[in-house]
Amino acid sequence: TAFLHGDLHEEVYMKLPPGFSSSSPNRVCRLKKSLYGLRQSPRNWFAKHQTALRQYGFQQSHADNTLFTLRKGDDCISVLVYVDDML
Protein backbone atom coordinates (compact mmCIF):
# COMPACT_ATOMS: atom_id res chain seq x y z
CA THR A 1 0.00 0.00 0.00
CA ALA A 2 3.05 2.29 0.04
CA PHE A 3 2.33 3.77 -3.38
CA LEU A 4 -1.36 4.44 -2.75
CA HIS A 5 -0.88 7.77 -0.99
CA GLY A 6 1.25 9.72 -3.47
CA ASP A 7 -0.31 12.90 -4.80
CA LEU A 8 -0.40 13.30 -8.57
CA HIS A 9 0.72 16.63 -9.99
CA GLU A 10 -0.32 15.82 -13.54
CA GLU A 11 -3.54 14.54 -15.06
CA VAL A 12 -3.55 10.74 -15.28
CA TYR A 13 -6.45 8.74 -16.71
CA MET A 14 -7.13 5.00 -16.77
CA LYS A 15 -9.71 2.66 -18.23
CA LEU A 16 -12.52 1.60 -15.93
CA PRO A 17 -11.44 -1.37 -13.81
CA PRO A 18 -13.01 -4.80 -14.39
CA GLY A 19 -16.44 -5.07 -12.80
CA PHE A 20 -17.40 -1.44 -13.37
CA SER A 21 -19.88 -0.79 -16.13
CA SER A 22 -20.72 2.40 -17.94
CA SER A 23 -23.25 3.44 -20.55
CA SER A 24 -20.35 4.81 -22.60
CA PRO A 25 -17.63 2.32 -23.58
CA ASN A 26 -15.07 5.12 -23.96
CA ARG A 27 -15.43 6.38 -20.40
CA VAL A 28 -12.24 6.68 -18.29
CA CYS A 29 -11.33 7.53 -14.68
CA ARG A 30 -9.20 10.52 -13.69
CA LEU A 31 -6.89 9.58 -10.83
CA LYS A 32 -6.40 11.93 -7.90
CA LYS A 33 -3.92 9.69 -6.06
CA SER A 34 -1.16 7.45 -7.29
CA LEU A 35 -1.90 3.77 -7.83
CA TYR A 36 0.49 0.86 -7.53
CA GLY A 37 1.76 0.02 -11.00
CA LEU A 38 1.81 3.57 -12.39
CA ARG A 39 5.16 4.80 -13.62
CA GLN A 40 4.64 7.93 -11.50
CA SER A 41 4.08 5.97 -8.27
CA PRO A 42 7.68 5.60 -7.04
CA ARG A 43 8.51 9.22 -7.86
CA ASN A 44 5.40 10.53 -6.08
CA TRP A 45 5.99 8.28 -3.07
CA PHE A 46 9.60 9.46 -2.76
CA ALA A 47 8.63 13.14 -3.19
CA LYS A 48 6.06 12.87 -0.40
CA HIS A 49 8.58 11.30 1.99
CA GLN A 50 11.30 13.76 0.97
CA THR A 51 9.02 16.70 1.77
CA ALA A 52 7.99 15.24 5.14
CA LEU A 53 11.58 14.46 6.20
CA ARG A 54 12.76 17.95 5.25
CA GLN A 55 9.91 19.49 7.27
CA TYR A 56 11.18 17.57 10.32
CA GLY A 57 14.65 19.05 9.79
CA PHE A 58 16.41 16.20 8.00
CA GLN A 59 19.19 17.09 5.58
CA GLN A 60 19.40 15.25 2.27
CA SER A 61 22.82 13.87 1.35
CA HIS A 62 24.52 15.26 -1.76
CA ALA A 63 26.38 11.97 -2.30
CA ASP A 64 23.23 9.80 -2.09
CA ASN A 65 19.91 11.61 -2.46
CA THR A 66 18.08 8.73 -0.75
CA LEU A 67 19.97 9.30 2.53
CA PHE A 68 18.56 11.78 5.05
CA THR A 69 20.22 12.70 8.35
CA LEU A 70 19.12 14.67 11.39
CA ARG A 71 21.58 15.80 14.06
CA LYS A 72 20.53 17.16 17.45
CA GLY A 73 23.49 17.62 19.78
CA ASP A 74 25.24 14.26 20.12
CA ASP A 75 22.29 12.34 18.61
CA CYS A 76 22.10 11.43 14.93
CA ILE A 77 19.26 9.79 13.02
CA SER A 78 19.87 8.42 9.52
CA VAL A 79 17.07 7.40 7.19
CA LEU A 80 17.80 5.57 3.96
CA VAL A 81 14.90 5.38 1.52
CA TYR A 82 15.04 2.35 -0.78
CA VAL A 83 12.42 1.83 -3.50
CA ASP A 84 9.30 1.59 -1.28
CA ASP A 85 10.92 1.00 2.09
CA MET A 86 12.93 2.94 4.69
CA LEU A 87 15.80 1.76 6.87
Coordinates of all heavy atoms in Angstrom, one line a residue:
T1 N 0.8 -1.2 0.0 CA 0.0 0.0 0.0 C 0.9 1.3 0.0 O 0.3 2.4 0.0 CB -0.9 0.0 1.2 OG1 -0.1 0.0 2.4 CG2 -1.9 -1.1 1.2
A2 N 2.2 1.1 -0.1 CA 3.0 2.3 0.0 C 2.8 3.3 -1.1 O 2.8 4.5 -0.8 CB 4.5 1.9 0.0
F3 N 2.5 2.8 -2.3 CA 2.3 3.8 -3.4 C 0.9 4.4 -3.5 O 0.7 5.1 -4.4 CB 2.7 3.1 -4.7 CG 4.1 2.7 -4.9 CD1 4.5 1.6 -5.6 CD2 5.1 3.6 -4.4 CE1 5.8 1.3 -5.7 CE2 6.4 3.3 -4.5 CZ 6.8 2.2 -5.2
L4 N 0.0 4.0 -2.6 CA -1.4 4.4 -2.7 C -1.6 5.8 -2.2 O -2.7 6.4 -2.4 CB -2.3 3.5 -2.0 CG -2.3 2.0 -2.6 CD1 -3.3 1.2 -1.8 CD2 -2.7 2.0 -4.1
H5 N -0.6 6.5 -1.6 CA -0.9 7.8 -1.0 C -0.1 8.9 -1.7 O -0.2 10.0 -1.2 CB -0.5 7.7 0.5 CG -1.3 6.6 1.2 ND1 -2.6 6.7 1.5 CD2 -0.9 5.4 1.7 CE1 -3.0 5.7 2.1 NE2 -2.0 4.9 2.2
G6 N 0.5 8.7 -2.8 CA 1.2 9.7 -3.5 C 0.3 10.6 -4.2 O -0.6 10.2 -4.8
D7 N 0.5 11.9 -4.1 CA -0.3 12.9 -4.8 C 0.2 13.0 -6.2 O 1.4 13.1 -6.5 CB -0.2 14.3 -4.1 CG -0.7 14.2 -2.7 OD1 -1.8 13.5 -2.5 OD2 -0.1 14.8 -1.8
L8 N -0.8 13.1 -7.2 CA -0.4 13.3 -8.6 C -0.4 14.8 -8.9 O -1.3 15.5 -8.5 CB -1.4 12.6 -9.5 CG -1.4 11.1 -9.4 CD1 -2.6 10.5 -10.2 CD2 -0.1 10.5 -9.9
H9 N 0.6 15.2 -9.6 CA 0.7 16.6 -10.0 C 0.4 16.8 -11.5 O 0.6 17.9 -12.0 CB 2.1 17.2 -9.6 CG 2.4 17.1 -8.2 ND1 1.8 17.8 -7.2 CD2 3.2 16.2 -7.5 CE1 2.2 17.5 -6.0 NE2 3.1 16.5 -6.2
E10 N 0.1 15.8 -12.1 CA -0.3 15.8 -13.5 C -1.6 15.0 -13.7 O -2.0 14.3 -12.8 CB 0.8 15.3 -14.5 CG 1.2 13.8 -14.2 CD 2.3 13.7 -13.2 OE1 3.2 14.5 -13.1 OE2 2.2 12.7 -12.4
E11 N -2.3 15.2 -14.8 CA -3.5 14.5 -15.1 C -3.2 13.1 -15.6 O -2.5 13.0 -16.6 CB -4.4 15.3 -16.1 CG -5.0 16.6 -15.5 CD -6.0 17.2 -16.4 OE1 -6.5 16.6 -17.4 OE2 -6.3 18.4 -16.2
V12 N -3.7 12.1 -14.9 CA -3.6 10.7 -15.3 C -4.9 10.1 -15.4 O -5.7 10.2 -14.4 CB -2.7 10.0 -14.3 CG1 -2.5 8.5 -14.6 CG2 -1.3 10.6 -14.2
Y13 N -5.2 9.4 -16.5 CA -6.4 8.7 -16.7 C -6.2 7.2 -16.9 O -5.1 6.8 -17.3 CB -7.1 9.3 -18.0 CG -7.5 10.7 -17.8 CD1 -6.6 11.8 -18.2 CD2 -8.7 11.1 -17.3 CE1 -6.9 13.1 -18.0 CE2 -9.1 12.5 -17.2 CZ -8.2 13.4 -17.5 OH -8.5 14.7 -17.4
M14 N -7.2 6.4 -16.6 CA -7.1 5.0 -16.8 C -8.5 4.5 -17.2 O -9.5 5.1 -17.0 CB -6.7 4.3 -15.5 CG -7.7 4.4 -14.3 SD -7.2 3.4 -12.9 CE -8.2 2.0 -13.1
K15 N -8.5 3.3 -17.9 CA -9.7 2.7 -18.2 C -10.4 2.2 -17.0 O -9.8 2.0 -15.9 CB -9.4 1.4 -19.1 CG -8.8 1.7 -20.4 CD -8.6 0.4 -21.2 CE -7.9 0.7 -22.5 NZ -7.6 -0.6 -23.2
L16 N -11.7 2.1 -17.1 CA -12.5 1.6 -15.9 C -12.0 0.2 -15.5 O -11.8 -0.6 -16.4 CB -14.0 1.5 -16.3 CG -14.7 2.9 -16.4 CD1 -16.1 2.7 -16.9 CD2 -14.7 3.7 -15.1
P17 N -11.9 -0.1 -14.2 CA -11.4 -1.4 -13.8 C -12.5 -2.4 -14.1 O -13.7 -2.1 -14.2 CB -11.2 -1.2 -12.3 CG -11.7 0.1 -11.9 CD -12.1 0.9 -13.2
P18 N -12.1 -3.7 -14.2 CA -13.0 -4.8 -14.4 C -14.1 -4.8 -13.3 O -13.8 -4.6 -12.2 CB -12.1 -6.1 -14.3 CG -10.7 -5.6 -14.5 CD -10.7 -4.2 -14.0
G19 N -15.3 -5.0 -13.7 CA -16.4 -5.1 -12.8 C -17.2 -3.8 -12.8 O -18.4 -3.8 -12.3
F20 N -16.7 -2.7 -13.3 CA -17.4 -1.4 -13.4 C -18.0 -1.3 -14.8 O -17.3 -1.6 -15.8 CB -16.5 -0.2 -13.1 CG -16.1 -0.1 -11.7 CD1 -15.0 -0.8 -11.1 CD2 -16.8 0.8 -10.9 CE1 -14.7 -0.6 -9.8 CE2 -16.5 0.9 -9.5 CZ -15.4 0.2 -9.0
S21 N -19.2 -0.9 -14.8 CA -19.9 -0.8 -16.1 C -20.3 0.7 -16.3 O -20.5 1.4 -15.4 CB -21.1 -1.7 -16.2 OG -22.0 -1.3 -15.2
S22 N -20.4 1.0 -17.6 CA -20.7 2.4 -17.9 C -21.6 2.4 -19.2 O -21.4 1.5 -20.0 CB -19.4 3.2 -18.2 OG -19.8 4.5 -18.7
S23 N -22.4 3.4 -19.3 CA -23.3 3.4 -20.5 C -22.4 3.8 -21.8 O -22.8 3.6 -22.9 CB -24.4 4.4 -20.3 OG -23.8 5.7 -20.0
S24 N -21.3 4.4 -21.5 CA -20.4 4.8 -22.6 C -19.1 4.0 -22.5 O -18.4 4.0 -21.5 CB -20.0 6.3 -22.4 OG -19.0 6.6 -23.4
P25 N -18.8 3.2 -23.6 CA -17.6 2.3 -23.6 C -16.3 3.1 -23.6 O -15.3 2.5 -23.2 CB -17.8 1.5 -24.9 CG -18.6 2.3 -25.8 CD -19.5 3.1 -24.9
N26 N -16.3 4.3 -23.9 CA -15.1 5.1 -24.0 C -14.8 5.9 -22.7 O -13.9 6.7 -22.6 CB -15.1 6.1 -25.2 CG -15.1 5.3 -26.5 OD1 -14.6 4.2 -26.6 ND2 -15.8 5.9 -27.4
R27 N -15.6 5.7 -21.7 CA -15.4 6.4 -20.4 C -14.1 6.0 -19.7 O -13.8 4.8 -19.7 CB -16.6 6.1 -19.5 CG -16.7 7.1 -18.3 CD -18.0 7.1 -17.8 NE -18.9 7.9 -18.7 CZ -19.8 8.7 -18.2 NH1 -20.1 8.7 -17.0 NH2 -20.6 9.3 -19.1
V28 N -13.5 6.9 -19.0 CA -12.2 6.7 -18.3 C -12.3 7.3 -16.9 O -13.2 8.1 -16.6 CB -11.0 7.2 -19.0 CG1 -10.8 6.5 -20.3 CG2 -11.1 8.7 -19.2
C29 N -11.4 7.0 -16.0 CA -11.3 7.5 -14.7 C -10.1 8.5 -14.6 O -9.1 8.2 -15.1 CB -11.1 6.4 -13.6 SG -12.4 5.3 -13.5
R30 N -10.3 9.6 -14.0 CA -9.2 10.5 -13.7 C -8.7 10.2 -12.3 O -9.5 10.2 -11.3 CB -9.6 12.0 -13.8 CG -8.4 12.9 -13.5 CD -8.8 14.3 -13.7 NE -7.6 15.1 -13.4 CZ -7.6 16.3 -12.8 NH1 -8.8 16.8 -12.5 NH2 -6.5 16.9 -12.5
L31 N -7.4 9.9 -12.1 CA -6.9 9.6 -10.8 C -6.5 10.8 -10.1 O -5.9 11.8 -10.6 CB -5.7 8.7 -11.0 CG -5.9 7.4 -11.7 CD1 -4.6 6.6 -11.9 CD2 -6.9 6.5 -11.0
K32 N -6.8 10.8 -8.8 CA -6.4 11.9 -7.9 C -5.2 11.5 -7.1 O -4.4 12.4 -6.6 CB -7.5 12.4 -7.0 CG -8.7 13.0 -7.7 CD -9.8 13.4 -6.8 CE -10.9 14.1 -7.6 NZ -11.9 14.6 -6.7
K33 N -5.0 10.2 -6.8 CA -3.9 9.7 -6.1 C -3.2 8.7 -6.9 O -3.8 8.1 -7.8 CB -4.4 9.0 -4.8 CG -5.0 10.0 -3.8 CD -4.0 10.7 -3.0 CE -4.6 11.5 -1.9 NZ -3.6 12.2 -1.1
S34 N -2.0 8.4 -6.6 CA -1.2 7.5 -7.3 C -1.6 6.0 -7.0 O -2.0 5.7 -5.9 CB 0.3 7.6 -6.8 OG 1.1 6.7 -7.4
L35 N -1.6 5.2 -8.0 CA -1.9 3.8 -7.8 C -0.7 2.9 -8.0 O 0.2 3.3 -8.8 CB -2.9 3.3 -8.9 CG -4.3 3.8 -8.7 CD1 -5.2 3.3 -9.9 CD2 -4.9 3.3 -7.4
Y36 N -0.6 1.8 -7.3 CA 0.5 0.9 -7.5 C 0.5 0.4 -9.0 O -0.5 0.1 -9.5 CB 0.3 -0.3 -6.6 CG 1.5 -1.2 -6.5 CD1 2.5 -0.9 -5.6 CD2 1.7 -2.3 -7.4 CE1 3.7 -1.7 -5.5 CE2 2.9 -3.0 -7.3 CZ 3.8 -2.7 -6.4 OH 5.0 -3.5 -6.3
G37 N 1.6 0.4 -9.6 CA 1.8 0.0 -11.0 C 1.9 1.2 -12.0 O 2.3 1.0 -13.1
L38 N 1.6 2.4 -11.5 CA 1.8 3.6 -12.4 C 3.3 3.9 -12.4 O 4.0 3.7 -11.4 CB 1.1 4.8 -11.9 CG -0.4 4.9 -12.0 CD1 -0.9 6.2 -11.4 CD2 -0.8 4.8 -13.5
R39 N 3.8 4.4 -13.5 CA 5.2 4.8 -13.6 C 5.5 6.0 -12.7 O 6.6 6.1 -12.2 CB 5.5 5.2 -15.1 CG 5.7 4.0 -15.9 CD 6.2 4.4 -17.3 NE 5.0 4.2 -18.2 CZ 4.8 4.8 -19.3 NH1 5.7 5.7 -19.7 NH2 3.8 4.6 -20.0
Q40 N 4.5 6.8 -12.4 CA 4.6 7.9 -11.5 C 4.7 7.5 -10.0 O 5.1 8.3 -9.2 CB 3.5 9.0 -11.7 CG 3.5 9.6 -13.1 CD 2.6 8.8 -14.0 OE1 2.3 7.6 -13.8 NE2 2.1 9.4 -15.1
S41 N 4.2 6.4 -9.7 CA 4.1 6.0 -8.3 C 5.3 6.1 -7.4 O 5.3 6.7 -6.4 CB 3.5 4.5 -8.2 OG 2.3 4.5 -8.7
P42 N 6.5 5.5 -7.9 CA 7.7 5.6 -7.0 C 8.1 7.0 -6.9 O 8.6 7.4 -5.8 CB 8.7 4.8 -7.8 CG 7.9 3.9 -8.7 CD 6.7 4.6 -9.0
R43 N 8.1 7.8 -7.9 CA 8.5 9.2 -7.9 C 7.6 10.0 -6.9 O 8.1 10.8 -6.1 CB 8.5 9.8 -9.3 CG 8.9 11.3 -9.3 CD 8.8 11.9 -10.6 NE 7.4 12.0 -11.0 CZ 7.0 11.8 -12.3 NH1 7.8 11.5 -13.2 NH2 5.7 11.8 -12.5
N44 N 6.3 9.8 -7.0 CA 5.4 10.5 -6.1 C 5.6 10.1 -4.6 O 5.5 10.9 -3.7 CB 4.0 10.3 -6.5 CG 3.7 11.0 -7.8 OD1 4.3 11.9 -8.2 ND2 2.7 10.5 -8.6
W45 N 5.8 8.8 -4.4 CA 6.0 8.3 -3.1 C 7.2 8.9 -2.5 O 7.2 9.3 -1.3 CB 6.1 6.8 -3.1 CG 6.3 6.1 -1.8 CD1 5.3 5.7 -1.0 CD2 7.5 5.7 -1.2 NE1 5.8 5.1 0.2 CE2 7.2 5.1 0.0 CE3 8.8 5.8 -1.6 CZ2 8.1 4.6 0.9 CZ3 9.8 5.4 -0.7 CH2 9.5 4.8 0.5
F46 N 8.3 8.9 -3.3 CA 9.6 9.5 -2.8 C 9.5 11.0 -2.5 O 9.9 11.5 -1.5 CB 10.7 9.2 -3.7 CG 12.1 9.7 -3.3 CD1 12.8 9.0 -2.3 CD2 12.5 11.0 -3.7 CE1 14.0 9.5 -1.9 CE2 13.7 11.5 -3.2 CZ 14.5 10.7 -2.3
A47 N 8.8 11.7 -3.4 CA 8.6 13.1 -3.2 C 7.9 13.4 -1.9 O 8.2 14.4 -1.2 CB 7.9 13.7 -4.4
K48 N 6.8 12.6 -1.6 CA 6.1 12.9 -0.4 C 6.9 12.6 0.9 O 6.9 13.4 1.8 CB 4.8 12.0 -0.4 CG 3.8 12.3 0.6 CD 2.5 11.7 0.3 CE 1.4 12.3 1.2 NZ 0.1 12.3 0.6
H49 N 7.7 11.6 0.9 CA 8.6 11.3 2.0 C 9.7 12.3 2.1 O 10.0 12.8 3.2 CB 9.2 9.9 1.9 CG 8.3 8.8 2.4 ND1 7.3 8.3 1.6 CD2 8.2 8.2 3.6 CE1 6.6 7.4 2.3 NE2 7.1 7.4 3.5
Q50 N 10.2 12.7 1.0 CA 11.3 13.8 1.0 C 10.8 15.1 1.6 O 11.5 15.7 2.4 CB 11.7 14.0 -0.5 CG 12.8 15.0 -0.7 CD 13.1 15.3 -2.1 OE1 12.2 15.3 -3.0 NE2 14.3 15.3 -2.5
T51 N 9.6 15.5 1.2 CA 9.0 16.7 1.8 C 8.8 16.6 3.3 O 9.1 17.5 4.0 CB 7.7 17.0 1.1 OG1 7.9 17.2 -0.3 CG2 7.0 18.3 1.6
A52 N 8.3 15.4 3.7 CA 8.0 15.2 5.1 C 9.3 15.2 5.9 O 9.4 15.9 7.0 CB 7.2 13.9 5.4
L53 N 10.3 14.5 5.5 CA 11.6 14.5 6.2 C 12.2 15.8 6.3 O 12.8 16.2 7.3 CB 12.5 13.4 5.5 CG 12.1 12.0 5.7 CD1 13.0 11.1 4.8 CD2 12.2 11.6 7.2
R54 N 12.2 16.6 5.2 CA 12.8 18.0 5.3 C 12.0 18.8 6.2 O 12.6 19.7 6.9 CB 12.8 18.6 3.9 CG 13.8 18.0 3.0 CD 13.8 18.6 1.6 NE 14.9 18.2 0.8 CZ 15.0 18.5 -0.5 NH1 14.1 19.3 -1.0 NH2 16.0 18.1 -1.2
Q55 N 10.7 18.7 6.3 CA 9.9 19.5 7.3 C 10.3 19.2 8.7 O 10.2 20.0 9.6 CB 8.4 19.3 7.1 CG 7.9 19.9 5.8 CD 6.4 19.6 5.6 OE1 5.9 18.7 6.2 NE2 5.8 20.3 4.6
Y56 N 10.7 18.0 9.0 CA 11.2 17.6 10.3 C 12.6 18.0 10.6 O 13.1 17.8 11.7 CB 11.0 16.1 10.5 CG 9.6 15.6 10.8 CD1 8.9 14.9 9.8 CD2 8.9 16.0 12.0 CE1 7.6 14.5 10.1 CE2 7.6 15.6 12.2 CZ 7.0 14.9 11.2 OH 5.7 14.5 11.5
G57 N 13.3 18.6 9.6 CA 14.7 19.0 9.8 C 15.7 18.2 9.3 O 16.9 18.4 9.5
F58 N 15.4 17.1 8.6 CA 16.4 16.2 8.0 C 17.1 16.9 6.8 O 16.5 17.7 6.1 CB 15.8 14.9 7.5 CG 15.5 13.9 8.6 CD1 14.3 14.0 9.3 CD2 16.3 12.9 8.8 CE1 14.0 13.1 10.3 CE2 16.0 11.9 9.8 CZ 14.9 12.1 10.6
Q59 N 18.4 16.6 6.7 CA 19.2 17.1 5.6 C 19.4 16.0 4.6 O 19.7 14.8 5.0 CB 20.6 17.6 6.1 CG 20.5 18.7 7.0 CD 19.9 20.0 6.4 OE1 20.3 20.3 5.3 NE2 19.0 20.7 7.1
Q60 N 19.2 16.3 3.3 CA 19.4 15.2 2.3 C 20.9 15.2 1.8 O 21.5 16.3 1.6 CB 18.5 15.6 1.1 CG 18.4 14.5 0.1 CD 17.3 14.7 -0.9 OE1 16.7 15.8 -1.0 NE2 17.0 13.8 -1.8
S61 N 21.4 14.0 1.7 CA 22.8 13.9 1.3 C 23.0 14.3 -0.1 O 22.2 14.0 -1.0 CB 23.2 12.4 1.5 OG 24.5 12.2 1.0
H62 N 24.2 14.9 -0.4 CA 24.5 15.3 -1.8 C 25.1 14.1 -2.5 O 25.0 13.9 -3.7 CB 25.5 16.4 -1.8 CG 24.9 17.7 -1.3 ND1 23.9 18.4 -1.9 CD2 25.1 18.4 -0.1 CE1 23.6 19.5 -1.2 NE2 24.3 19.5 -0.1
A63 N 25.7 13.2 -1.7 CA 26.4 12.0 -2.3 C 25.3 10.9 -2.7 O 25.5 10.2 -3.6 CB 27.4 11.4 -1.3
D64 N 24.3 10.8 -1.9 CA 23.2 9.8 -2.1 C 21.9 10.5 -1.7 O 21.6 10.7 -0.5 CB 23.5 8.5 -1.2 CG 22.4 7.5 -1.5 OD1 21.4 7.7 -2.2 OD2 22.6 6.3 -1.0
N65 N 21.1 10.8 -2.7 CA 19.9 11.6 -2.5 C 18.8 10.8 -1.8 O 17.8 11.3 -1.4 CB 19.4 12.3 -3.7 CG 18.8 11.2 -4.7 OD1 19.1 10.1 -4.6 ND2 18.1 11.7 -5.7
T66 N 19.0 9.5 -1.5 CA 18.1 8.7 -0.7 C 18.4 8.6 0.7 O 17.7 8.0 1.5 CB 18.0 7.3 -1.3 OG1 19.2 6.6 -1.2 CG2 17.6 7.3 -2.8
L67 N 19.5 9.3 1.1 CA 20.0 9.3 2.5 C 19.6 10.6 3.2 O 20.0 11.7 2.7 CB 21.5 9.1 2.6 CG 22.1 9.2 4.0 CD1 21.5 8.1 4.9 CD2 23.6 9.1 3.9
F68 N 18.9 10.6 4.3 CA 18.6 11.8 5.1 C 19.1 11.6 6.5 O 19.0 10.6 7.1 CB 17.0 11.9 5.1 CG 16.4 12.1 3.8 CD1 16.1 11.0 3.0 CD2 16.1 13.4 3.3 CE1 15.5 11.1 1.7 CE2 15.5 13.5 2.0 CZ 15.2 12.4 1.3
T69 N 19.7 12.7 7.0 CA 20.2 12.7 8.4 C 19.7 13.9 9.2 O 19.4 14.9 8.6 CB 21.8 12.8 8.3 OG1 22.2 13.9 7.6 CG2 22.4 11.5 7.7
L70 N 19.5 13.6 10.5 CA 19.1 14.7 11.4 C 20.0 14.6 12.6 O 20.2 13.5 13.2 CB 17.7 14.4 11.8 CG 17.1 15.4 12.9 CD1 17.0 16.8 12.3 CD2 15.7 14.9 13.4
R71 N 20.7 15.7 12.9 CA 21.6 15.8 14.1 C 21.0 16.8 15.1 O 20.7 17.9 14.8 CB 23.0 16.3 13.6 CG 23.6 15.3 12.7 CD 25.1 15.8 12.3 NE 25.6 15.0 11.3 CZ 26.3 13.8 11.5 NH1 26.4 13.3 12.7 NH2 26.8 13.1 10.5
K72 N 20.9 16.3 16.3 CA 20.5 17.2 17.4 C 21.5 16.9 18.6 O 21.5 15.8 19.2 CB 19.1 16.8 17.9 CG 18.0 17.0 16.9 CD 17.5 18.4 17.0 CE 16.4 18.6 15.9 NZ 15.6 19.7 16.1
G73 N 22.5 17.8 18.8 CA 23.5 17.6 19.8 C 24.4 16.4 19.4 O 24.9 16.3 18.4
D74 N 24.4 15.5 20.4 CA 25.2 14.3 20.1 C 24.4 13.2 19.4 O 25.0 12.1 19.1 CB 25.8 13.7 21.5 CG 26.8 14.6 22.1 OD1 27.4 15.4 21.3 OD2 27.0 14.6 23.3
D75 N 23.1 13.4 19.2 CA 22.3 12.3 18.6 C 22.2 12.5 17.1 O 22.2 13.6 16.6 CB 20.9 12.4 19.2 CG 20.8 12.1 20.7 OD1 21.7 11.3 21.1 OD2 20.0 12.7 21.4
C76 N 22.2 11.4 16.4 CA 22.1 11.4 14.9 C 21.1 10.4 14.5 O 21.2 9.2 14.9 CB 23.5 11.2 14.3 SG 23.4 11.1 12.5
I77 N 20.2 10.7 13.6 CA 19.3 9.8 13.0 C 19.5 9.8 11.5 O 19.6 10.8 10.9 CB 17.8 10.2 13.3 CG1 17.5 10.2 14.8 CG2 16.8 9.2 12.6 CD1 16.1 10.8 15.1
S78 N 19.7 8.6 11.0 CA 19.9 8.4 9.5 C 18.7 7.6 9.0 O 18.3 6.6 9.5 CB 21.2 7.7 9.2 OG 22.3 8.4 9.6
V79 N 18.2 8.1 7.9 CA 17.1 7.4 7.2 C 17.5 7.2 5.8 O 17.9 8.1 5.0 CB 15.8 8.2 7.2 CG1 14.7 7.5 6.4 CG2 15.3 8.5 8.6
L80 N 17.5 5.9 5.3 CA 17.8 5.6 4.0 C 16.5 5.1 3.3 O 15.9 4.1 3.7 CB 18.9 4.5 3.9 CG 19.4 4.1 2.6 CD1 20.1 5.4 1.9 CD2 20.4 3.0 2.7
V81 N 16.1 5.7 2.2 CA 14.9 5.4 1.5 C 15.3 4.5 0.3 O 16.2 4.8 -0.4 CB 14.2 6.6 1.0 CG1 12.9 6.2 0.2 CG2 13.9 7.6 2.1
Y82 N 14.7 3.3 0.3 CA 15.0 2.4 -0.8 C 13.8 1.8 -1.4 O 13.0 1.2 -0.8 CB 15.8 1.2 -0.2 CG 16.2 0.2 -1.2 CD1 17.2 0.4 -2.1 CD2 15.6 -1.1 -1.3 CE1 17.6 -0.5 -3.1 CE2 15.9 -2.0 -2.2 CZ 16.9 -1.7 -3.1 OH 17.3 -2.7 -4.0
V83 N 13.6 2.2 -2.7 CA 12.4 1.8 -3.5 C 11.1 2.2 -2.8 O 10.7 3.3 -2.8 CB 12.4 0.4 -3.9 CG1 11.3 0.0 -4.9 CG2 13.8 0.0 -4.6
D84 N 10.5 1.3 -2.0 CA 9.3 1.6 -1.3 C 9.4 1.2 0.2 O 8.5 0.8 0.8 CB 8.1 0.9 -1.9 CG 8.2 -0.6 -1.8 OD1 9.2 -1.1 -1.5 OD2 7.2 -1.3 -2.1
D85 N 10.6 1.4 0.7 CA 10.9 1.0 2.1 C 11.9 2.0 2.7 O 12.6 2.7 2.0 CB 11.5 -0.4 2.1 CG 11.4 -1.1 3.5 OD1 10.7 -0.5 4.4 OD2 11.8 -2.2 3.6
M86 N 12.0 2.1 4.0 CA 12.9 2.9 4.7 C 13.7 2.1 5.7 O 13.1 1.3 6.4 CB 12.2 4.1 5.4 CG 11.6 5.1 4.4 SD 10.9 6.5 5.2 CE 9.5 5.9 6.1
L87 N 15.0 2.4 5.8 CA 15.8 1.8 6.9 C 16.2 2.8 7.9 O 16.5 3.9 7.6 CB 17.1 1.2 6.2 CG 16.9 0.2 5.1 CD1 18.2 -0.1 4.5 CD2 16.3 -1.1 5.6

